[in-house]
mmCIF file of all heavy atoms in Angstrom:
data_model
loop_
_atom_site.group_PDB
_atom_site.id
_atom_site.type_symbol
_atom_site.label_atom_id
_atom_site.label_comp_id
_atom_site.label_asym_id
_atom_site.label_seq_id
_atom_site.Cartn_x
_atom_site.Cartn_y
_atom_site.Cartn_z
ATOM 1 N N GLY A 1 5.408 -5.703 -13.047
ATOM 2 C CA GLY A 1 6.309 -4.792 -13.736
ATOM 3 C C GLY A 1 6.845 -3.767 -12.751
ATOM 4 O O GLY A 1 7.319 -4.103 -11.669
ATOM 5 N N GLU A 2 6.751 -2.493 -13.105
ATOM 6 C CA GLU A 2 7.226 -1.403 -12.246
ATOM 7 C C GLU A 2 6.087 -0.743 -11.475
ATOM 8 O O GLU A 2 6.246 0.382 -10.982
ATOM 9 C CB GLU A 2 7.946 -0.352 -13.102
ATOM 10 C CG GLU A 2 9.258 -0.834 -13.701
ATOM 11 C CD GLU A 2 10.285 -1.142 -12.613
ATOM 12 O OE1 GLU A 2 10.583 -0.254 -11.808
ATOM 13 O OE2 GLU A 2 10.784 -2.289 -12.590
ATOM 14 N N GLU A 3 4.959 -1.434 -11.384
ATOM 15 C CA GLU A 3 3.793 -0.860 -10.715
ATOM 16 C C GLU A 3 3.369 -1.729 -9.542
ATOM 17 O O GLU A 3 3.342 -2.959 -9.645
ATOM 18 C CB GLU A 3 2.636 -0.702 -11.702
ATOM 19 C CG GLU A 3 2.948 0.275 -12.834
ATOM 20 C CD GLU A 3 1.803 0.401 -13.810
ATOM 21 O OE1 GLU A 3 1.194 -0.629 -14.148
ATOM 22 O OE2 GLU A 3 1.527 1.537 -14.243
ATOM 23 N N LYS A 4 3.012 -1.078 -8.435
ATOM 24 C CA LYS A 4 2.619 -1.820 -7.237
ATOM 25 C C LYS A 4 1.140 -2.169 -7.304
ATOM 26 O O LYS A 4 0.287 -1.296 -7.491
ATOM 27 C CB LYS A 4 2.920 -1.008 -5.976
ATOM 28 C CG LYS A 4 2.607 -1.757 -4.693
ATOM 29 C CD LYS A 4 3.086 -1.017 -3.441
ATOM 30 C CE LYS A 4 4.508 -1.372 -3.111
ATOM 31 N NZ LYS A 4 4.920 -0.879 -1.766
ATOM 32 N N LEU A 5 0.852 -3.445 -7.127
ATOM 33 C CA LEU A 5 -0.518 -3.943 -7.098
ATOM 34 C C LEU A 5 -1.055 -3.994 -5.675
ATOM 35 O O LEU A 5 -2.250 -3.772 -5.447
ATOM 36 C CB LEU A 5 -0.566 -5.346 -7.716
ATOM 37 C CG LEU A 5 -1.905 -6.087 -7.691
ATOM 38 C CD1 LEU A 5 -2.958 -5.355 -8.526
ATOM 39 C CD2 LEU A 5 -1.731 -7.523 -8.198
ATOM 40 N N CYS A 6 -0.184 -4.279 -4.715
ATOM 41 C CA CYS A 6 -0.610 -4.467 -3.329
ATOM 42 C C CYS A 6 0.443 -3.912 -2.385
ATOM 43 O O CYS A 6 1.611 -4.304 -2.463
ATOM 44 C CB CYS A 6 -0.832 -5.952 -3.046
ATOM 45 S SG CYS A 6 -1.375 -6.317 -1.370
ATOM 46 N N ALA A 7 0.021 -3.001 -1.518
ATOM 47 C CA ALA A 7 0.906 -2.470 -0.479
ATOM 48 C C ALA A 7 0.752 -3.311 0.786
ATOM 49 O O ALA A 7 -0.342 -3.800 1.082
ATOM 50 C CB ALA A 7 0.570 -1.011 -0.187
ATOM 51 N N ILE A 8 1.835 -3.458 1.520
ATOM 52 C CA ILE A 8 1.824 -4.252 2.752
ATOM 53 C C ILE A 8 2.554 -3.482 3.845
ATOM 54 O O ILE A 8 3.650 -2.964 3.621
ATOM 55 C CB ILE A 8 2.499 -5.624 2.541
ATOM 56 C CG1 ILE A 8 1.739 -6.441 1.493
ATOM 57 C CG2 ILE A 8 2.576 -6.398 3.866
ATOM 58 C CD1 ILE A 8 2.416 -7.734 1.091
ATOM 59 N N GLY A 9 1.942 -3.408 5.005
ATOM 60 C CA GLY A 9 2.577 -2.778 6.163
ATOM 61 C C GLY A 9 1.933 -3.320 7.426
ATOM 62 O O GLY A 9 0.723 -3.217 7.587
ATOM 63 N N VAL A 10 2.709 -3.916 8.297
ATOM 64 C CA VAL A 10 2.149 -4.548 9.494
ATOM 65 C C VAL A 10 2.777 -3.964 10.755
ATOM 66 O O VAL A 10 3.814 -3.293 10.715
ATOM 67 C CB VAL A 10 2.333 -6.085 9.490
ATOM 68 C CG1 VAL A 10 1.729 -6.701 8.238
ATOM 69 C CG2 VAL A 10 3.797 -6.464 9.636
ATOM 70 N N ALA A 11 2.129 -4.222 11.856
ATOM 71 C CA ALA A 11 2.680 -3.970 13.184
ATOM 72 C C ALA A 11 2.547 -5.278 13.962
ATOM 73 O O ALA A 11 1.643 -6.084 13.688
ATOM 74 C CB ALA A 11 1.928 -2.848 13.892
ATOM 75 N N VAL A 12 3.426 -5.490 14.914
ATOM 76 C CA VAL A 12 3.359 -6.684 15.765
ATOM 77 C C VAL A 12 3.513 -6.234 17.215
ATOM 78 O O VAL A 12 4.456 -5.510 17.558
ATOM 79 C CB VAL A 12 4.442 -7.720 15.406
ATOM 80 C CG1 VAL A 12 4.395 -8.896 16.379
ATOM 81 C CG2 VAL A 12 4.261 -8.204 13.976
ATOM 82 N N LYS A 13 2.587 -6.640 18.035
ATOM 83 C CA LYS A 13 2.610 -6.309 19.456
ATOM 84 C C LYS A 13 2.256 -7.562 20.236
ATOM 85 O O LYS A 13 1.296 -8.263 19.886
ATOM 86 C CB LYS A 13 1.606 -5.189 19.751
ATOM 87 C CG LYS A 13 1.605 -4.693 21.183
ATOM 88 C CD LYS A 13 0.608 -3.550 21.324
ATOM 89 C CE LYS A 13 0.548 -3.040 22.754
ATOM 90 N NZ LYS A 13 -0.433 -1.936 22.902
ATOM 91 N N GLU A 14 3.030 -7.875 21.250
ATOM 92 C CA GLU A 14 2.822 -9.082 22.062
ATOM 93 C C GLU A 14 2.737 -10.336 21.190
ATOM 94 O O GLU A 14 1.974 -11.249 21.468
ATOM 95 C CB GLU A 14 1.577 -8.938 22.931
ATOM 96 C CG GLU A 14 1.680 -7.806 23.943
ATOM 97 C CD GLU A 14 0.458 -7.702 24.834
ATOM 98 O OE1 GLU A 14 0.356 -8.501 25.801
ATOM 99 O OE2 GLU A 14 -0.397 -6.836 24.568
ATOM 100 N N GLY A 15 3.540 -10.354 20.113
ATOM 101 C CA GLY A 15 3.631 -11.529 19.264
ATOM 102 C C GLY A 15 2.480 -11.721 18.302
ATOM 103 O O GLY A 15 2.415 -12.752 17.624
ATOM 104 N N VAL A 16 1.569 -10.748 18.212
ATOM 105 C CA VAL A 16 0.408 -10.864 17.326
ATOM 106 C C VAL A 16 0.387 -9.667 16.377
ATOM 107 O O VAL A 16 0.576 -8.518 16.796
ATOM 108 C CB VAL A 16 -0.910 -10.935 18.137
ATOM 109 C CG1 VAL A 16 -2.126 -10.914 17.219
ATOM 110 C CG2 VAL A 16 -0.922 -12.200 18.996
ATOM 111 N N SER A 17 0.142 -9.938 15.097
ATOM 112 C CA SER A 17 0.165 -8.897 14.073
ATOM 113 C C SER A 17 -1.142 -8.116 14.025
ATOM 114 O O SER A 17 -2.202 -8.603 14.448
ATOM 115 C CB SER A 17 0.410 -9.531 12.704
ATOM 116 O OG SER A 17 -0.705 -10.334 12.338
ATOM 117 N N PHE A 18 -1.056 -6.913 13.479
ATOM 118 C CA PHE A 18 -2.238 -6.185 13.018
ATOM 119 C C PHE A 18 -1.805 -5.257 11.894
ATOM 120 O O PHE A 18 -0.656 -5.272 11.484
ATOM 121 C CB PHE A 18 -2.990 -5.476 14.149
ATOM 122 C CG PHE A 18 -2.217 -4.474 14.967
ATOM 123 C CD1 PHE A 18 -2.616 -3.145 15.023
ATOM 124 C CD2 PHE A 18 -1.121 -4.855 15.736
ATOM 125 C CE1 PHE A 18 -1.935 -2.224 15.793
ATOM 126 C CE2 PHE A 18 -0.434 -3.934 16.523
ATOM 127 C CZ PHE A 18 -0.837 -2.609 16.537
ATOM 128 N N HIS A 19 -2.725 -4.463 11.360
ATOM 129 C CA HIS A 19 -2.564 -3.805 10.055
ATOM 130 C C HIS A 19 -2.395 -4.922 9.009
ATOM 131 O O HIS A 19 -2.761 -6.059 9.263
ATOM 132 C CB HIS A 19 -1.442 -2.777 10.078
ATOM 133 C CG HIS A 19 -1.744 -1.618 10.991
ATOM 134 N ND1 HIS A 19 -2.619 -0.616 10.651
ATOM 135 C CD2 HIS A 19 -1.309 -1.320 12.252
ATOM 136 C CE1 HIS A 19 -2.708 0.263 11.645
ATOM 137 N NE2 HIS A 19 -1.938 -0.158 12.635
ATOM 138 N N GLY A 20 -1.886 -4.633 7.815
ATOM 139 C CA GLY A 20 -1.840 -5.720 6.833
ATOM 140 C C GLY A 20 -1.575 -5.277 5.416
ATOM 141 O O GLY A 20 -0.552 -4.667 5.129
ATOM 142 N N PHE A 21 -2.532 -5.546 4.503
ATOM 143 C CA PHE A 21 -2.285 -5.315 3.079
ATOM 144 C C PHE A 21 -3.445 -4.548 2.457
ATOM 145 O O PHE A 21 -4.558 -4.515 2.986
ATOM 146 C CB PHE A 21 -2.075 -6.644 2.342
ATOM 147 C CG PHE A 21 -3.293 -7.540 2.314
ATOM 148 C CD1 PHE A 21 -4.242 -7.423 1.304
ATOM 149 C CD2 PHE A 21 -3.494 -8.500 3.292
ATOM 150 C CE1 PHE A 21 -5.366 -8.242 1.281
ATOM 151 C CE2 PHE A 21 -4.608 -9.332 3.280
ATOM 152 C CZ PHE A 21 -5.550 -9.199 2.259
ATOM 153 N N ALA A 22 -3.143 -3.940 1.304
ATOM 154 C CA ALA A 22 -4.154 -3.198 0.545
ATOM 155 C C ALA A 22 -4.007 -3.572 -0.921
ATOM 156 O O ALA A 22 -3.052 -3.151 -1.592
ATOM 157 C CB ALA A 22 -3.972 -1.703 0.745
ATOM 158 N N LEU A 23 -4.929 -4.377 -1.416
ATOM 159 C CA LEU A 23 -4.901 -4.893 -2.792
ATOM 160 C C LEU A 23 -5.812 -4.038 -3.665
ATOM 161 O O LEU A 23 -7.021 -3.932 -3.408
ATOM 162 C CB LEU A 23 -5.371 -6.353 -2.794
ATOM 163 C CG LEU A 23 -5.582 -7.010 -4.162
ATOM 164 C CD1 LEU A 23 -4.271 -7.085 -4.944
ATOM 165 C CD2 LEU A 23 -6.180 -8.410 -3.981
ATOM 166 N N ASN A 24 -5.245 -3.456 -4.688
ATOM 167 C CA ASN A 24 -6.036 -2.631 -5.602
ATOM 168 C C ASN A 24 -6.851 -3.519 -6.532
ATOM 169 O O ASN A 24 -6.296 -4.183 -7.408
ATOM 170 C CB ASN A 24 -5.130 -1.707 -6.413
ATOM 171 C CG ASN A 24 -4.439 -0.679 -5.545
ATOM 172 O OD1 ASN A 24 -5.023 -0.145 -4.613
ATOM 173 N ND2 ASN A 24 -3.169 -0.419 -5.844
ATOM 174 N N VAL A 25 -8.143 -3.535 -6.314
ATOM 175 C CA VAL A 25 -9.052 -4.324 -7.155
ATOM 176 C C VAL A 25 -9.613 -3.427 -8.248
ATOM 177 O O VAL A 25 -9.342 -3.607 -9.433
ATOM 178 C CB VAL A 25 -10.178 -4.958 -6.307
ATOM 179 C CG1 VAL A 25 -11.149 -5.739 -7.199
ATOM 180 C CG2 VAL A 25 -9.582 -5.884 -5.252
ATOM 181 N N SER A 26 -10.403 -2.439 -7.850
ATOM 182 C CA SER A 26 -10.944 -1.483 -8.813
ATOM 183 C C SER A 26 -10.775 -0.060 -8.277
ATOM 184 O O SER A 26 -11.609 0.809 -8.508
ATOM 185 C CB SER A 26 -12.421 -1.779 -9.087
ATOM 186 O OG SER A 26 -13.174 -1.749 -7.878
ATOM 187 N N THR A 27 -9.693 0.149 -7.574
ATOM 188 C CA THR A 27 -9.395 1.429 -6.940
ATOM 189 C C THR A 27 -9.281 2.542 -7.972
ATOM 190 O O THR A 27 -8.776 2.325 -9.070
ATOM 191 C CB THR A 27 -8.051 1.320 -6.187
ATOM 192 O OG1 THR A 27 -7.957 0.039 -5.555
ATOM 193 C CG2 THR A 27 -7.889 2.402 -5.157
ATOM 194 N N ASP A 28 -9.713 3.758 -7.609
ATOM 195 C CA ASP A 28 -9.461 4.930 -8.443
ATOM 196 C C ASP A 28 -7.985 5.293 -8.280
ATOM 197 O O ASP A 28 -7.587 5.918 -7.296
ATOM 198 C CB ASP A 28 -10.359 6.093 -8.008
ATOM 199 C CG ASP A 28 -10.182 7.322 -8.892
ATOM 200 O OD1 ASP A 28 -9.267 7.336 -9.749
ATOM 201 O OD2 ASP A 28 -10.961 8.284 -8.716
ATOM 202 N N LEU A 29 -7.184 4.906 -9.244
ATOM 203 C CA LEU A 29 -5.739 5.082 -9.128
ATOM 204 C C LEU A 29 -5.324 6.547 -9.162
ATOM 205 O O LEU A 29 -4.213 6.888 -8.746
ATOM 206 C CB LEU A 29 -5.021 4.290 -10.229
ATOM 207 C CG LEU A 29 -5.266 2.769 -10.206
ATOM 208 C CD1 LEU A 29 -4.569 2.101 -11.390
ATOM 209 C CD2 LEU A 29 -4.793 2.146 -8.890
ATOM 210 N N ASN A 30 -6.198 7.433 -9.638
ATOM 211 C CA ASN A 30 -5.882 8.859 -9.643
ATOM 212 C C ASN A 30 -5.654 9.385 -8.233
ATOM 213 O O ASN A 30 -4.917 10.360 -8.036
ATOM 214 C CB ASN A 30 -7.003 9.655 -10.312
ATOM 215 C CG ASN A 30 -7.082 9.401 -11.808
ATOM 216 O OD1 ASN A 30 -6.054 9.242 -12.473
ATOM 217 N ND2 ASN A 30 -8.286 9.342 -12.339
ATOM 218 N N ASP A 31 -6.287 8.745 -7.239
ATOM 219 C CA ASP A 31 -6.147 9.220 -5.862
ATOM 220 C C ASP A 31 -4.730 9.032 -5.315
ATOM 221 O O ASP A 31 -4.357 9.667 -4.333
ATOM 222 C CB ASP A 31 -7.160 8.532 -4.948
ATOM 223 C CG ASP A 31 -8.544 9.163 -5.033
ATOM 224 O OD1 ASP A 31 -8.635 10.329 -5.477
ATOM 225 O OD2 ASP A 31 -9.526 8.517 -4.668
ATOM 226 N N PHE A 32 -3.961 8.144 -5.926
ATOM 227 C CA PHE A 32 -2.571 7.974 -5.494
ATOM 228 C C PHE A 32 -1.697 9.163 -5.907
ATOM 229 O O PHE A 32 -0.581 9.308 -5.419
ATOM 230 C CB PHE A 32 -1.977 6.693 -6.082
ATOM 231 C CG PHE A 32 -2.438 5.431 -5.402
ATOM 232 C CD1 PHE A 32 -3.494 4.704 -5.910
ATOM 233 C CD2 PHE A 32 -1.799 4.968 -4.264
ATOM 234 C CE1 PHE A 32 -3.918 3.529 -5.293
ATOM 235 C CE2 PHE A 32 -2.206 3.800 -3.641
ATOM 236 C CZ PHE A 32 -3.272 3.080 -4.152
ATOM 237 N N SER A 33 -2.201 9.996 -6.814
ATOM 238 C CA SER A 33 -1.381 11.089 -7.348
ATOM 239 C C SER A 33 -1.144 12.207 -6.339
ATOM 240 O O SER A 33 -0.336 13.104 -6.583
ATOM 241 C CB SER A 33 -2.035 11.667 -8.607
ATOM 242 O OG SER A 33 -3.256 12.320 -8.282
ATOM 243 N N VAL A 34 -1.828 12.165 -5.189
ATOM 244 C CA VAL A 34 -1.670 13.228 -4.189
ATOM 245 C C VAL A 34 -0.576 12.894 -3.166
ATOM 246 O O VAL A 34 -0.349 13.648 -2.229
ATOM 247 C CB VAL A 34 -3.003 13.533 -3.475
ATOM 248 C CG1 VAL A 34 -4.053 13.985 -4.480
ATOM 249 C CG2 VAL A 34 -3.505 12.331 -2.669
ATOM 250 N N ILE A 35 0.092 11.747 -3.342
ATOM 251 C CA ILE A 35 1.194 11.334 -2.478
ATOM 252 C C ILE A 35 2.290 10.707 -3.336
ATOM 253 O O ILE A 35 2.103 10.480 -4.534
ATOM 254 C CB ILE A 35 0.741 10.288 -1.412
ATOM 255 C CG1 ILE A 35 0.174 9.031 -2.100
ATOM 256 C CG2 ILE A 35 -0.269 10.898 -0.450
ATOM 257 C CD1 ILE A 35 -0.131 7.879 -1.145
ATOM 258 N N VAL A 36 3.428 10.447 -2.716
ATOM 259 C CA VAL A 36 4.430 9.560 -3.320
ATOM 260 C C VAL A 36 4.202 8.202 -2.674
ATOM 261 O O VAL A 36 4.633 7.971 -1.538
ATOM 262 C CB VAL A 36 5.870 10.052 -3.058
ATOM 263 C CG1 VAL A 36 6.875 9.091 -3.690
ATOM 264 C CG2 VAL A 36 6.061 11.469 -3.578
ATOM 265 N N PRO A 37 3.472 7.285 -3.338
ATOM 266 C CA PRO A 37 3.058 6.037 -2.675
ATOM 267 C C PRO A 37 4.241 5.257 -2.117
ATOM 268 O O PRO A 37 5.200 4.966 -2.835
ATOM 269 C CB PRO A 37 2.356 5.258 -3.797
ATOM 270 C CG PRO A 37 1.905 6.309 -4.764
ATOM 271 C CD PRO A 37 2.982 7.365 -4.718
ATOM 272 N N CYS A 38 4.156 4.965 -0.820
ATOM 273 C CA CYS A 38 5.189 4.203 -0.112
ATOM 274 C C CYS A 38 6.550 4.889 -0.151
ATOM 275 O O CYS A 38 7.576 4.280 0.175
ATOM 276 C CB CYS A 38 5.292 2.776 -0.655
ATOM 277 S SG CYS A 38 3.727 1.873 -0.581
ATOM 278 N N GLY A 39 6.578 6.149 -0.577
ATOM 279 C CA GLY A 39 7.831 6.880 -0.648
ATOM 280 C C GLY A 39 8.736 6.461 -1.785
ATOM 281 O O GLY A 39 9.913 6.818 -1.812
ATOM 282 N N LEU A 40 8.201 5.715 -2.763
ATOM 283 C CA LEU A 40 9.007 5.198 -3.869
ATOM 284 C C LEU A 40 8.821 6.077 -5.093
ATOM 285 O O LEU A 40 7.824 5.964 -5.820
ATOM 286 C CB LEU A 40 8.618 3.740 -4.172
ATOM 287 C CG LEU A 40 8.819 2.757 -3.022
ATOM 288 C CD1 LEU A 40 8.306 1.381 -3.399
ATOM 289 C CD2 LEU A 40 10.290 2.687 -2.631
ATOM 290 N N LYS A 41 9.764 6.958 -5.324
ATOM 291 C CA LYS A 41 9.673 7.879 -6.456
ATOM 292 C C LYS A 41 9.914 7.136 -7.763
ATOM 293 O O LYS A 41 10.731 6.229 -7.848
ATOM 294 C CB LYS A 41 10.684 9.010 -6.291
ATOM 295 C CG LYS A 41 10.392 9.916 -5.095
ATOM 296 C CD LYS A 41 11.453 10.987 -4.943
ATOM 297 C CE LYS A 41 11.078 11.992 -3.859
ATOM 298 N NZ LYS A 41 11.003 11.382 -2.507
ATOM 299 N N GLY A 42 9.176 7.507 -8.795
ATOM 300 C CA GLY A 42 9.369 6.921 -10.110
ATOM 301 C C GLY A 42 8.684 5.587 -10.310
ATOM 302 O O GLY A 42 8.849 4.953 -11.363
ATOM 303 N N LYS A 43 7.919 5.140 -9.319
ATOM 304 C CA LYS A 43 7.188 3.877 -9.435
ATOM 305 C C LYS A 43 5.693 4.175 -9.563
ATOM 306 O O LYS A 43 5.198 5.194 -9.076
ATOM 307 C CB LYS A 43 7.419 2.995 -8.209
ATOM 308 C CG LYS A 43 8.881 2.671 -7.933
ATOM 309 C CD LYS A 43 9.457 1.723 -8.955
ATOM 310 C CE LYS A 43 10.890 1.319 -8.590
ATOM 311 N NZ LYS A 43 11.469 0.379 -9.574
#
C-alpha cells in the first residue's frame, strides 16, 4: 500500500556492492517517528 516494508540503499566500489536492505519483521515502528523515513513525507 502506502507503507514501506523494506528500505534499500547500496554502495558499489570496485564493482562489488555493500550496504543493502532493512526488512521490518517485528520492528518497533514508533522509532521511525523521530525522522522522515527515506525523506518521503506523507508515507
Side-chain angles (χ1 to χ4, degrees):
E2 292 296 304
E3 297 179 318
K4 183 172 272 191
L5 176 64
C6 181
I8 298 173
V10 304
V12 176
K13 184 178 179 181
E14 297 182 79
V16 174
S17 67
F18 58 120
H19 295 284
F21 65 88
L23 172 63
N24 294 321
V25 178
S26 57
T27 321
D28 183 352
L29 300 177
N30 291 323
D31 279 340
F32 284 96
S33 67
V34 300
I35 59 173
V36 179
C38 303
L40 299 176
K41 294 178 173 64
K43 303 289 185 179

